[in-house]
């Protein structure tokens, strides 16, 4: 389980095919603190640390993950948002994030507003029931609030700190992003779906 509060922005150093999957090496200041087998969220995707040294972590990405997330497109030089799994004795911020991507969206526009930015993200319309105005969503692993909502896109108001300390600072129109909808909302949507089936 994660919170969507990015701890560090890492850089893809190496991406090597391994049969059906890919092994990545990510340079990060978190590397010395990691343990083997630990879960780390990379751009919203929960991965397992299979090796690490003083400057980088290594993780395997399986074929299913490559198919349903943006991780297959990562190349050396790409920046990624990183967060270690939450601890039971730590202060909880953000919202409950599992690191299980629901859909891939894309940035429609990045609009400056003084020192702030509005980022508009397009998403598959079939997920509309999972979003509410002022609700939470994880975009590339960042816990954010829906500031505007339409059937196929939503707006995010990004504060200067978030823009400076996440990979969003490099987002442009067309940038693909991993989306994880709020877990509570997904349970509500699923319950409503099942209730409709039972009623019919």
């Amino acid at each position: 389980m994660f919170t969507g509060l990015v701890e560090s922005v890492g850089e893809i150093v190496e991406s090597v095919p391994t049969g059906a999957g890919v092994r990545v090496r990510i340079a990060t200041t978190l590397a010395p603190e990691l343990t083997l087998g630990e879960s780390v969220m990379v751009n919203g995707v929960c991965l397992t640390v299979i090796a690490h040294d003083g400057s980088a972590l290594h993780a395997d990405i399986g074929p299913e993950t490559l198919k349903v997330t943006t991780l297959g497109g990562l190349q050396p030089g790409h920046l990624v948002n990183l967060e270690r799994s939450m601890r039971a004795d730590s202060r909880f911020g953000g919202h409950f994030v599992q690191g299980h991507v629901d859909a891939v969206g894309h940035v429609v526009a990045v609009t400056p507003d003084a020192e702030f930015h509005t980022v508009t993200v397009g998403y598959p319309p079939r997920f509309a029931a999972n979003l509410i105005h002022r609700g939470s969503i994880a975009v590339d692993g960042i816990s954010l609030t829906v500031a505007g909502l339409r059937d196929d896109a939503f707006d995010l108001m990004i504060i200067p700190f978030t823009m400076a300390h996440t990979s969003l600072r490099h987002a442009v129109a067309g940038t693909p992003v991993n989306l994880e909808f709020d877990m509570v909302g997904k349970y509500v949507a699923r319950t409503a779906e099942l209730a409709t089936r039972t009623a019919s």
Side-chain angles (χ1 to χ4, degrees):
M1 188 69 72
F2 304 90
T3 67
L5 301 183
V6 175
E7 291 186 81
S8 175
V9 175
E11 180 178 344
I12 301 296
V13 177
E14 189 177 41
S15 179
V16 180
T18 57
V22 170
R23 177 166 296 175
V24 292
R25 183 159 61 97
I26 304 170
T28 172
T29 56
L30 298 178
E33 306 171 40
L34 299 175
T35 58
L36 295 181
E38 181 176 349
S39 294
V40 174
M41 190 161 64
V42 178
N43 269 12
V45 183
C46 180
L47 298 179
T48 300
V49 176
I50 61 167
H52 65 91
D53 51 38
S55 62
L57 69 88
H58 301 246
D60 284 332
I61 306 172
E64 178 64 16
T65 301
L66 293 173
K67 184 169 63 176
V68 301
T69 73
T70 65
L71 296 193
L74 294 178
Q75 298 297 325
H78 280 172
L79 300 182
V80 290
N81 300 312
L82 302 174
E83 182 191 353
R84 291 169 292 182
S85 56
M86 63 179 293
R87 289 171 30 168
D89 63 347
S90 63
R91 188 173 293 161
F92 181 77
H95 71 282
F96 287 115
V97 180
Q98 293 180 294
H100 302 162
V101 171
D102 294 303
V104 172
H106 66 280
V107 174
V108 175
V110 179
T111 308
D113 183 5
E115 71 273 32
F116 298 87
H117 289 80
T118 297
V119 176
T120 301
V121 178
Y123 69 95
R126 68 181 184 276
F127 292 101
N130 297 121
L131 285 165
I132 59 169
H133 191 226
R134 308 295 186 216
S136 297
I137 187 169
V139 178
D140 273 351
I142 311 164
S143 176
L144 296 168
T145 301
V146 176
L149 182 60
R150 295 172 293 288
D151 288 342
D152 61 353
F154 57 86
D155 298 321
L156 306 163
M157 178 59 72
I158 308 300
I159 65 172
F161 183 90
T162 301
M163 186 61 79
H165 291 86
T166 71
S167 63
L168 280 181
R169 63 181 181 263
H170 295 294
V172 296
T175 299
V177 288
N178 293 315
L179 304 177
E180 182 183 330
F181 303 107
D182 183 36
M183 183 167 58
V184 175
K186 287 190 286 189
Y187 276 115
V188 172
R190 177 62 172 163
T191 300
E193 177 190 350
L194 292 176
T196 301
R197 288 185 190 177
T198 302
S200 60

